[in-house]
């Protein structure tokens, strides 16, 4: 999104009107890239869990063990 008219607050989705920039390494990291990848994998594993009507967890395909 970008603000086309700041006086009226008109915002539009970027679809080529202005240049996009991606700056890698502009901020200090909070966690290492390896830890980020591990957490993304763990979140994906937990997202595959399903809950039954009585609150029990069942696997939605892959097995998960804490």
């Amino acid at each position: 999104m970008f603000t086309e008219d700041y006086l009226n607050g008109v915002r539009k989705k970027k679809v080529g009107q202005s240049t996009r920039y991606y700056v890698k390494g502009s901020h200090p990291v909070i966690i290492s890239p390896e830890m980020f990848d591990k957490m993304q994998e763990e979140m994906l594993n937990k997202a595959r869990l399903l809950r039954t009507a009585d609150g029990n967890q069942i696997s939605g395909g892959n097995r998960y063990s804490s």
Side-chain angles (χ1 to χ4, degrees), residues 3-21:
T3 305
E4 183 179 64
D5 181 5
Y6 68 90
L7 292 176
N8 296 325
V10 176
R11 293 177 52 85
K12 290 190 174 181
K13 186 174 184 177
K14 274 190 184 180
V15 286
Q17 298 94 331
S18 60
T19 308
R20 288 186 176 193
Y21 297 97

Side-chain angles (χ1 to χ4, degrees), residues 28-59:
V29 297
I30 297 171
I31 61 171
S32 68
E34 295 82 17
M35 178 63 76
F36 177 80
D37 291 338
K38 287 180 184 178
M39 287 307 303
Q40 292 297 313
E41 185 177 321
E42 184 68 19
M43 289 171 61
L44 180 62
N45 287 337
K46 287 187 177 189
R48 291 184 181 136
L49 289 178
L50 302 175
R51 291 197 184 271
T52 60
D54 59 354
N56 293 329
Q57 290 182 349
I58 58 171
S59 177

Side-chain angles (χ1 to χ4, degrees), residues 21-30:
Y21 297 97
Y22 178 75
V23 180
K24 192 171 186 177
S26 64
H27 302 303
V29 297
I30 297 171

